[in-house]
Amino acid sequence: MNEDKLNPPPYQDLIGDMLNNDPSKGKIDHLQGAGKPLSQDYLSGDTFQHFQRIAKDAGYKPIWLELQHEIRDELVELIQRQSTFIERALESRLTIVNDKIKQYNKSCPPKLQKGMVSLASFVDAVQYWE
């Protein structure tokens, strides 16, 4: 029998090794809450809820939420400047907004999906994007 099969290489915990080595180098001492126990809030619920809570506390915004704010801001700008645009330029800008809406609809929860905007509807659509 091959001796390599009887004596497999030792288990390597790369992440654990990094975390164990870094305190000695001072790389993670500056993190907020370093050395403090986790609150009970972080220990209750399921894994997805933990991720959402930690991500929110860290200031993370999902891509669909960032897109929602971009779309809203662009629609507000178009409304404010619509008198300075010729119709073709306005349609071109609305095409760009609609591309962002498609991207938003692909990444957001199904209940939050929204319809495309047109020349006739973009003024009223702002209220749905707030």
Side-chain angles (χ1 to χ4, degrees):
M1 233 179 180
N2 189 350
E3 194 166 319
D4 289 338
K5 290 182 182 178
L6 295 175
N7 298 323
Y11 175 75
Q12 293 184 351
D13 180 15
L14 298 176
I15 301 297
D17 291 344
M18 283 188 258
L19 291 174
N20 289 334
N21 290 338
D22 283 347
S24 64
K25 297 176 185 173
K27 289 185 180 177
I28 63 172
D29 291 338
H30 67 283
L31 297 176
Q32 180 182 2
K36 297 178 183 174
L38 290 175
S39 69
Q40 288 299 326
D41 292 341
Y42 287 109
L43 302 175
S44 63
D46 65 18
T47 305
F48 185 67
Q49 288 173 337
H50 290 302
F51 168 75
Q52 286 182 317
R53 188 176 305 121
I54 292 169
K56 182 179 177 186
D57 291 348
Y60 170 78
K61 279 187 186 175
I63 186 71
W64 59 269
L65 191 55
E66 290 178 6
L67 281 169
Q68 179 179 343
H69 293 177
E70 286 178 25
I71 292 166
R72 180 204 56 217
D73 294 344
E74 287 188 35
L75 288 173
V76 167
E77 180 188 350
L78 288 176
I79 289 170
Q80 292 172 347
R81 296 181 53 201
Q82 83 182 55
S83 61
T84 62
F85 283 115
I86 57 173
E87 189 171 329
R88 266 190 223 145
L90 190 57
E91 286 175 353
S92 175
R93 292 285 300 269
L94 287 176
T95 301
I96 294 169
V97 170
N98 281 328
D99 289 341
K100 286 187 179 185
I101 292 173
K102 289 175 190 174
Q103 187 178 0
Y104 168 85
N105 285 338
K106 288 178 184 177
S107 60
C108 76
K111 289 183 179 181
L112 298 177
Q113 292 181 351
K114 296 179 169 64
M116 302 294 143
V117 293
S118 66
L119 279 173
S121 69
F122 81 95
V123 174
D124 297 329
V126 172
Q127 68 183 349
Y128 298 114
W129 288 97
E130 292 182 347

